[in-house]
Amino acid sequence: MIHYKSKAEIELMRESSLLVSEALALVAAAIKPGVTTMQLDKIAEEFIRDNKATASFKGYHGFPFTCCISVNDAVVHGFPNEDELKNGDLISVDVGVFKNGFHGDSAYTFAIGEISDELKQLMRVTKDSLYKGIEKAVHGNRVGDIAYAIQDYTERQHGYGVVRDLVGHGLGRSLHEEPQVPNFGKRGTGAKLKEGMTIAIEPMINLGAKDVFHDEDGWTIRTADGKPAAHYEHDICVQKGKADILSSFTSIEAAEKANTNLCSDY
Ligand code: MG
Ligand code: MG
């Protein structure tokens, strides 16, 4: 069943979502060659704890960390580890926060140093596809309208692979609620979008083919062809006319721009 949120509940969710955004901004400021993804995980973990919240992912079905950090051919659900990041790496960071009874869940992809135009386009198109999906997340539309908008832009217009095995989702008192929000599908199909629905929209887009596999760690999802992937995620509340975006990339983008180790001109 779909849980519709009251105005008061939406404000609590906004607080959780914005806390995730601030955590991602702190991570953005710390990314540089030589830093490990485990160090980035600790930064997010401390920030969440200092804000009297808990990390949604830690312990979720046994996931052992605060962040999912997925580098290069890892699409999502990557384990933070002791490997040092280097120039040219594409790093997707996904963070969830639980506070006041509600989850926030947002993700952003960063690149270190100079990257190819091909990778820049992958980042730009994936981020833009998120907003194209959000444009369709209005009262009266259907989940398939969001799905179609993302797939049309990334797959049909740019030739990228849209991951089929993982999808966006309803969000609230649980990290994953109904409905599922795929990044592929047909217009006019699926659950009807109604005012007060809160969903996480999260295109996972591969530079190459759509196929992925589970790494031997049991969690990390990697592209089958070894090519890189990008992932951006916002939490939104369905409204009449225009979705209310509960998370924010503003401070993340500012940190990305201010960090000279990161590529921000994509
Ligand atoms: Mg997420
Ligand atoms: Mg999510």
Side-chain angles (χ1 to χ4, degrees):
M1 87 178 253
I2 293 170
H3 299 283
Y4 300 92
K5 277 75 177 183
S6 68
K7 285 206 158 61
E9 288 174 327
I10 291 162
E11 290 319 307
L12 291 176
M13 286 196 63
R14 193 187 313 279
E15 202 182 313
S16 299
S17 296
L18 290 177
L19 206 52
V20 175
S21 301
E22 293 310 312
L24 286 170
L26 274 183
V27 168
I31 298 177
K32 60 181 179 187
V35 83
T36 70
T37 51
M38 194 64 83
Q39 287 173 298
L40 301 178
D41 189 66
K42 292 290 167 237
I43 289 168
E45 185 179 349
E46 272 174 36
F47 174 78
I48 291 167
R49 198 173 48 223
D50 289 350
N51 282 277
K52 302 193 171 24
T54 54
S56 303
F57 302 166
K58 201 164 195 170
Y60 183 82
H61 294 291
F63 188 83
F65 304 102
T66 293
C67 307
C68 296
I69 306 184
S70 310
V71 181
N72 298 329
D73 67 312
V75 186
V76 287
H77 301 170
F79 277 11
N81 61 33
E82 301 296 347
D83 296 344
E84 292 184 357
L85 292 172
K86 57 186 189 309
N87 240 340
D89 278 343
L90 197 64
I91 306 133
S92 299
V93 185
D94 193 347
V95 177
V97 152
F98 184 70
K99 188 173 182 180
N100 300 320
F102 289 94
H103 292 275
D105 178 14
S106 180
Y108 199 93
T109 299
F110 305 96
I112 300 185
E114 269 307 302
I115 55 166
S116 65
D117 288 343
E118 193 181 40
L119 273 190
K120 285 182 185 179
Q121 182 178 280
L122 174 70
M123 293 173 75
R124 184 174 66 244
V125 168
T126 305
K127 196 199 272 191
D128 287 350
S129 78
L130 170 58
Y131 291 103
K132 288 183 186 296
I134 291 171
E135 267 175 39
K136 301 294 179 191
V138 293
H139 181 89
N141 275 358
R142 288 182 184 270
V143 165
D145 296 312
I146 300 171
Y148 177 86
I150 293 169
Q151 184 181 18
D152 183 62
Y153 188 62
T154 55
E155 206 166 79
R156 292 184 194 88
Q157 294 185 42
H158 288 92
Y160 296 142
V162 175
V163 175
R164 303 295 200 273
D165 310 51
L166 299 144
V167 296
H169 50 94
L171 178 80
R173 293 194 182 275
S174 299
L175 181 60
H176 295 114
E177 296 184 353
E178 287 185 44
Q180 292 198 340
V181 184
N183 300 303
F184 54 93
K186 289 191 174 71
R187 280 179 284 197
T189 65
K192 210 161 195 179
L193 300 172
K194 289 186 192 162
E195 215 173 1
M197 272 175 79
T198 45
I199 56 177
I201 303 178
E202 48 177 321
M204 291 157 259
I205 307 298
N206 298 346
L207 180 65
K210 66 182 189 305
D211 311 276
V212 295
F213 70 96
H214 257 107
D215 190 285
E216 58 195 16
D217 65 22
W219 278 97
T220 312
I221 303 288
R222 294 185 187 278
T223 60
D225 60 15
K227 291 185 179 174
H231 177 215
Y232 295 84
E233 177 179 26
H234 265 318
D235 303 331
I236 67 105
C237 181
V238 174
Q239 300 287 355
K240 287 182 176 142
K242 194 170 187 245
D244 182 1
I245 305 178
L246 305 175
S247 44
S248 169
F249 286 165
T250 305
S251 55
I252 304 168
E253 285 167 343
E256 182 184 42
K257 204 160 198 172
N259 182 344
T260 52
N261 295 292
L262 291 178
C263 169
S264 58
D265 65 328
Y266 55 88

